[in-house]
């Protein structure tokens, strides 16, 4: 990668720790690359993965989310939810072909000026190595990520994860984390595939084969997901050419 390339990185910094750490790094004259644009949030748990997808759509090459160490969150467990959200986002970024190396989660307390600077250096190098991010080349994938991350199913799963796997229910049973992980992974794949198909449907009446070509999903899987979308009222049969049906989004 060209040494003159300066990546644009959006950094969401928690007010109570990393933002203060960044401040201290400045006061202490600790150097780090000037590639980050800072958004101060009250807790890393405030960062919705949709904010990160929007940042990529708006032309950022990568995103850093930095908050208090686990156990030090001023809202007790906000950063534990951040971890869960970032895990789902990382899986979706891999599925989309954009890749998880564009988005990073790091911890740094208010007193950790040097670790904060080291985090920025490390993340900047990874994103620099990944090269410029062209949102136009990933338009369909980015729109599908927005759709998938907005679904009730994924938002519910990310919210309920810790509750189910760390707490006992009324029968003093815990949900098996391995089983929950499988359910979650299946849901992530299914919701992303449906979101991609919805993107194809939104461009006008399309056949199953055309949807498969546009999304890169196997024809059998397109048919299966299309059926689920039809049942949910999110896809309509529009016309038939001979024996070939064409589908589109409902009006
Ligand atoms: Fe800093 Fe929650 S208050 S991560």
């Amino acid at each position: 990668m060209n040494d003159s390339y300066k990546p644009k990185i959006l950094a969401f910094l928690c007010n109570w720790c990393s933002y203060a750490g960044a401040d201290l790094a400045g006061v202490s004259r600790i150097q780090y690359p000037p590639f980050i644009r800072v958004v101060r949030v009250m807790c890393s748990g405030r960062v919705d993965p949709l904010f990160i997808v929007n940042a990529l759509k708006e032309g950022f090459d990568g995103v850093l989310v930095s908050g208090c160490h686990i156990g030090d969150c001023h809202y007790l467990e906000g950063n534990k939810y951040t971890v869960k959200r970032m895990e789902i986002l990382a899986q979706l970024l891999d599925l989309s072909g954009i890749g998880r190396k564009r988005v990073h989660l790091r911890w740094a307390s208010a007193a950790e000026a040097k670790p904060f600077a080291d985090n920025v250096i490390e993340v900047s190098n990874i994103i620099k190595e990944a090269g410029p991010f062209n949102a136009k080349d990933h338009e369909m994938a980015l729109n599908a990520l927005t759709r998938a991350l907005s679904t009730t199913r994924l938002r519910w799963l990310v919210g309920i994860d810790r509750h189910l796997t760390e707490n006992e229910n009324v029968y003093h049973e815990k949900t098996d984390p391995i089983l929950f992980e499988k359910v979650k992974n299946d849901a992530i794949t299914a919701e992303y595939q449906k979101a991609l198909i919805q993107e194809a449907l939104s461009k006008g009446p399309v056949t199953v084969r055309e949807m498969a070509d546009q999304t890169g999903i196997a024809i059998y899987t397109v048919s299966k997901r299309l059926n689920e979308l039809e049942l949910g009222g999110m896809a309509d049969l529009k016309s038939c050419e001979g024996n070939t049906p064409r589908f589109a989004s409902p009006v």
Side-chain angles (χ1 to χ4, degrees):
M1 179 52 55
N2 186 346
D3 256 4
S4 62
Y5 163 57
K6 296 181 172 65
K8 268 173 68 184
I9 301 170
L10 188 64
F12 292 98
L13 305 183
C14 163
N15 177 63
W16 304 104
C17 47
S18 300
Y19 188 83
D23 211 21
L24 184 61
V27 171
S28 313
R29 298 178 183 265
I30 296 173
Q31 303 259 319
Y32 58 83
F35 303 143
I36 60 169
R37 315 286 194 277
V38 173
V39 175
R40 177 161 47 161
V41 290
M42 293 309 284
C43 174
S44 65
R46 177 66 186 91
V47 182
D48 190 307
L50 287 169
F51 299 171
I52 295 170
V53 175
N54 281 345
L56 295 174
K57 283 182 179 176
E58 293 299 324
F60 283 93
D61 298 308
V63 175
L64 165 67
V65 178
S66 188
C68 309
H69 289 278
I70 296 293
D72 290 346
C73 176
H74 282 233
Y75 306 95
L76 304 180
E77 304 210 313
N79 53 4
K80 292 186 181 173
Y81 287 98
T82 312
V83 172
K84 296 295 176 189
R85 292 195 186 110
M86 295 293 278
E87 281 172 6
I88 280 203
L89 179 63
Q91 280 177 264
L92 282 165
L93 285 168
D94 284 347
L95 273 177
S96 71
I98 293 170
R100 63 179 68 203
K101 58 185 173 294
R102 297 277 171 194
V103 179
H104 301 271
L105 174 63
R106 296 288 184 278
W107 310 127
S109 76
E112 291 182 319
K114 178 75 167 63
F116 175 80
D118 289 345
N119 285 344
V120 175
I121 293 167
E122 183 210 350
V123 167
S124 298
N125 285 340
I126 297 170
I127 294 172
K128 203 170 176 184
E129 185 68 27
F133 179 71
N134 188 341
K136 274 266 167 277
D137 293 348
H138 297 277
E139 193 178 350
M140 189 180 203
L142 287 167
N143 289 339
L145 287 175
T146 299
R147 280 184 194 272
L149 286 165
S150 305
T151 57
T152 309
R153 187 182 185 193
L154 289 193
R155 296 186 84 81
W156 183 81
L157 277 170
V158 80
I160 204 76
D161 185 333
R162 295 189 51 242
H163 181 73
L164 287 181
T165 56
E166 293 176 19
N167 300 328
E168 291 180 345
N169 63 17
V170 291
Y171 305 106
H172 303 291
E173 295 163 338
K174 274 189 193 174
T175 304
D176 178 0
I178 295 172
L179 175 65
F180 185 82
E181 206 54 28
K182 184 183 175 334
V183 169
K184 192 170 72 177
N185 292 344
D186 290 349
I188 290 170
T189 305
E191 291 306 320
Y192 183 67
Q193 288 175 338
K194 284 197 283 184
L196 271 180
I197 291 167
Q198 281 179 283
E199 279 303 301
L201 291 168
S202 70
K203 306 269 177 329
V206 274
T207 65
V208 169
R209 181 171 292 282
E210 286 166 348
M211 283 184 256
D213 290 343
Q214 288 176 33
T215 61
I217 302 170
I219 288 181
Y220 166 79
T221 310
V222 171
S223 298
K224 190 173 155 198
R225 300 297 177 217
L226 189 58
N227 190 29
E228 291 165 13
L229 287 168
E230 278 189 286
L231 288 171
M234 289 178 279
D236 272 348
L237 174 64
K238 286 293 172 195
S239 61
C240 259
E241 287 164 13
N243 289 331
T244 309
R246 285 188 172 274
F247 300 86
S249 304
V251 186

